[in-house]
Amino acid sequence: MGWDDPRTEAIFFDFDGVLVDSVAIKRQAFEDVIAPYANGQIDKCMAYFMTQGGVSRLLKFQHVWSDVLGRPNDEQASHQLASEFAERVFERTCRAPFIPGAAEFLQHYSAHLPIYVISGTPQEELLAIVDRRGMSHFFRGVFGSPASKIEIGRQIIKREGLSPERVCFVGDATTDRDAARALGLRFIGLHGPHLSPYLDGSEEMLDDLTNLREILVHPSADR
């Protein structure tokens, strides 16, 4: 099955919560890792976490450690927390189910349409997860932190000579939406805890990827 929509020449996908159902895995891991240090402020820690979908985990732990918990800046502590987090999520993310429609979309269109992953997960870990899941062949490139999503997207667009107005960013967090807007890309959001509470009414939204091709070809809100 080929790709027959000339208005879309490439797609950027976030990974967690967009291609793979792993958002709850990462939320629980963050809570488990930070709880021993929270001193009764776990709700504040998790409220911050929920507003920062798609942000590097190291930056999340650095902010929570110093700005939420009021502890002295400690780079070693932040790296240790991020390492503990990675140990908790890696295997479970490798085994997590696809978001409905994701596997089918990739199988049908990846050979005909340049598809990239742009995630806040550390790149080395992200590449290992994608490889372990047998997904590498679907993507023209897989990119994670420490580079920001805007930086990564800008590099891809320049290197590949893409027209921003013909590139779609599919994500489930405000960081994805904001990156798409900064780069002049079309944004399609998936409902979830890192985006749905923060919608401004202008977003094209889906519950999953079952109808992604349909909304790409025939745009309308809230399918």
Side-chain angles (χ1 to χ4, degrees), residues 148-180:
S148 74
K149 295 186 177 186
I150 293 174
E151 292 169 338
I152 295 167
R154 184 176 292 123
Q155 290 169 3
I156 295 171
I157 290 167
K158 182 178 180 180
R159 184 179 65 244
E160 303 298 330
L162 299 172
S163 302
E165 68 276 9
R166 294 186 178 181
V167 178
C168 181
F169 198 138
V170 183
D172 71 330
T174 54
T175 52
D176 303 321
R177 179 192 62 191
D178 296 346

Side-chain angles (χ1 to χ4, degrees), residues 136-150:
S136 300
H137 64 287
F138 291 135
F139 306 118
R140 185 71 60 88
V142 175
F143 302 96
S145 62
S148 74
K149 295 186 177 186
I150 293 174

Side-chain angles (χ1 to χ4, degrees), residues 18-21 96-104 106-107 133 135 138:
V18 175
L19 296 176
V20 173
D21 191 3
F98 282 100
I99 293 293
E104 293 81 2
L106 294 174
Q107 289 165 359
R133 293 181 62 97
M135 298 173 65
F138 291 135

